[in-house]
């Protein structure tokens, strides 16, 4: 069975003015860390041949395991059948080094670490060795990758910023910048839609793009209210999960203002009794935990104690719950029209 939000199928697509179809187009995904395997999965389940490229064998092995696990979980969540999962996995070729992957690629998805030097070196190698028509999508979270790419690549480089886990969450933030053409941007957006994703195009580059900036704003108030004793960590999460989160799912941020009434919203914003939390770039709430090695799910504790459960187990539990939510949201998630 196929989830409703995968109803789109790649047909009639072009990229850099060339046909881009499953069976003929090749996609190289560079980096098999947190993001690469999930992005590779999305292309592969839509019929594309993928080269998943890594520099370290253990990372490549872990990336392939995580891709296979993600497919198993889709079967368990009943958003994919076992035969489709096997066929998807068979379309992914693991490779050490990027040379073989980029040599025949029509699209290169760059998901290497968020490090200027690593990205710069990768773009230089791609400009030298990839076919001259190959397009590069960078998954960078914050970097101005346009300033890192050699001129030979700049007109076919854009940002396509996916969200973790990328095979479950639909949003992809797209940033196109000259000399890349508007048509390349449009083609990339069409391709993402055909993959069942929900692309939004930013009119210009801004570090952190949109969602990570919104998250920073939420984090600033959250850390401040917890540190100043207004609310506990657990209650803040309960409050968000039982109010903001479901309402935002239906209304987003801006349509919520329409429902509140813009006049009331204006009055609320002007209330002199509410003083915004100051910008604090290293809140003690985070710093103290980092100092004692409590890094979150990866180390077994962070704001919560995970009682010895492994990061993999915790990630599977999160992803299973996310699939349940995505199934329930279905059409609304990838076709989020206002009410
Ligand atoms: N982790 C997230 O939640 C998240 C979300 C959105 C975007 N991003 C962005 O996606 C990119 C990748 O993030 P990640 O979290 O997957 O990183 P990661 O560190 O988990 O994985 C990156 C992988 O790239 C490999 N690598 C290093 N140099 C390489 C090269 N030259 N060729 C091929 N592979 C190479 C590394 O060995 C590593 O396994 C970053 O730009 C990051 O900012 C991450």
């Amino acid at each position: 069975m196929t989830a409703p939000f995968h109803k789109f199928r790649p047909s009639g697509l072009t990229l850099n003015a060339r046909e881009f179809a499953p069976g003929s187009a090749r996609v190289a995904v560079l980096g098999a860390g947190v993001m690469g395997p999930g992005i590779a999965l999305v292309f592969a389940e839509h019929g594309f041949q993928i080269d998943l490229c890594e520099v370290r064998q253990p990372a490549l092995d872990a990336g392939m395991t995580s891709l296979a696990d993600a497919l198993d979980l889709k079967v368990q969540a009943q958003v994919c059948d076992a035969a489709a999962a096997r066929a998807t996995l068979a379309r992914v070729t693991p490779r050490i080094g990027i040379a073989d992957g980029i040599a025949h690629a029509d699209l290169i998805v760059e998901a290497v670490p968020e490090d200027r030097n690593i990205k710069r070196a990768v773009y230089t190698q791609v400009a030298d060795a990839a076919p001259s028509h190959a397009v590069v999508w960078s998954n960078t979270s914050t970097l101005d990758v346009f300033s890192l790419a050699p001129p030979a690549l700049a007109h076919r480089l854009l940002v396509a910023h996916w969200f973790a886990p990328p095979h479950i969450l639909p949003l992809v933030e797209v940033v196109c910048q000259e000399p890349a053409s508007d048509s390349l941007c449009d083609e990339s957006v069409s391709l993402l839609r055909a993959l069942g994703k929900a692309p939004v195009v930013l009119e210009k580059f801004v570090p952190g793009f949109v969602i990570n900036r919104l998250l920073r704003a939420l984090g600033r108030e959250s850390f401040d209210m917890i540190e100043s004793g207004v609310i506990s960590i657990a209650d803040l999460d309960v409050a968000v999960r039982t109010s903001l989160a479901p309402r935002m799912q239906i209304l987003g941020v801006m349509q919520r203002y329409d429902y509140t009434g813009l006049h009331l919203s204006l009055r609320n914003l002007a209330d002199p009794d509410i003083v915004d939390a100051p910008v604090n770039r290293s809140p003690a709430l985070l710093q103290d935990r980092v100092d004692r090695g409590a890094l979150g799910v990866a180390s077994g504790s962070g704001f919560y104690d995970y009682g010895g459960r492994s990061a993999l187990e915790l990630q599977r539990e999160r992803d299973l719950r996310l699939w349940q939510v995505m199934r329930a949201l279905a059409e609304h998630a990838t076709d989020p029209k206002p009410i």
Side-chain angles (χ1 to χ4, degrees):
M1 92 222 49
T2 305
F5 40 90
H6 284 151
K7 67 180 176 178
F8 302 103
R9 287 289 162 228
S11 63
L13 293 166
T14 57
L15 199 59
N16 224 353
R18 297 163 69 108
E19 188 196 0
F20 193 89
S24 56
R26 276 201 87 91
V27 180
V29 176
L30 312 185
V34 174
M35 297 299 286
I39 298 173
L41 186 159
V42 172
F43 279 97
E45 73 182 350
H46 284 84
F48 291 97
Q49 294 295 328
I50 309 299
D51 292 302
L52 182 59
C53 306
E54 247 299 334
V55 283
R56 297 178 298 120
Q57 189 67 49
L60 186 59
D61 294 344
M64 287 303 290
T65 302
S66 118
L67 200 158
D69 276 353
L71 284 166
D72 280 351
L73 205 73
K74 285 197 73 167
V75 174
Q76 200 180 322
Q78 300 186 324
V79 288
C80 174
D81 63 40
R86 279 193 300 277
T88 296
L89 193 57
R91 289 189 201 103
V92 182
T93 306
R95 293 191 187 275
I96 282 294
I98 68 172
D100 290 341
I102 63 176
H104 307 290
D106 300 289
L107 171 63
I108 295 160
V109 178
E110 175 272 298
V112 303
E114 191 76 343
D115 176 305
R116 282 185 176 76
N117 293 331
I118 295 178
K119 293 211 193 274
R120 194 181 283 117
V122 165
Y123 297 150
T124 302
Q125 191 176 350
V126 167
D128 290 346
S132 58
H133 70 273
V135 171
V136 180
W137 287 0
S138 173
N139 192 43
T140 182
S141 302
T142 52
L143 296 176
D144 180 0
V145 289
F146 305 105
S147 68
L148 303 177
L153 204 61
H155 65 288
R156 47 197 172 102
L157 170 70
L158 49 89
V159 170
H161 177 234
W162 302 53
F163 286 77
H167 57 292
I168 305 181
L169 295 184
L171 177 64
V172 181
E173 293 173 325
V174 176
V175 189
C176 308
Q177 194 164 298
E178 283 186 342
S181 65
D182 288 348
S183 58
L184 179 59
C185 189
D186 293 345
E187 290 171 321
S188 297
V189 166
S190 299
L191 173 54
L192 285 163
R193 289 215 176 98
L195 295 170
K197 294 289 145 185
V200 297
V201 179
L202 277 59
E203 300 298 331
K204 60 179 179 181
F205 172 82
V206 54
F209 311 125
V210 171
I211 294 302
N212 284 342
R213 294 182 75 95
L214 290 179
L215 204 53
R216 279 174 78 96
L218 267 183
R220 182 163 50 80
E221 282 292 346
S222 301
F223 296 140
D224 187 66
M225 284 190 288
I226 294 165
E227 280 183 1
S228 58
V230 173
I231 192 166
S232 70
I233 289 168
D235 279 351
L236 184 128
D237 277 348
V238 168
V240 169
R241 291 172 61 195
T242 55
S243 62
L244 274 191
R247 194 173 59 192
M248 270 192 188
Q249 181 57 60
I250 302 305
L251 297 177
V253 172
M254 300 310 290
Q255 196 177 25
R256 204 275 310 170
Y257 285 116
D258 276 351
Y259 273 75
T260 301
L262 302 191
H263 56 309
L264 292 179
S265 301
L266 197 59
R267 195 189 66 191
N268 291 344
L269 261 180
D271 184 342
D273 289 341
I274 300 182
V275 179
D276 295 329
V279 174
N280 179 356
R281 289 181 179 268
S282 53
L285 208 62
L286 278 177
Q287 188 69 60
D288 294 350
R289 285 172 174 77
V290 171
D291 290 347
R292 61 184 143 86
L295 306 181
V297 164
S299 70
S301 72
F303 289 122
Y304 297 88
D305 184 343
Y306 294 101
R309 282 180 291 166
S310 71
L312 188 64
E313 197 182 335
L314 292 163
Q315 186 184 310
R316 284 180 72 88
E317 181 61 32
R318 176 201 65 184
D319 289 357
L320 212 46
R321 292 184 191 201
L322 275 175
W323 276 125
Q324 286 166 357
V325 172
M326 296 309 297
R327 274 176 65 120
L329 292 169
E331 305 270 317
H332 187 72
T334 47
D335 192 12
K337 292 192 185 73
I339 289 173

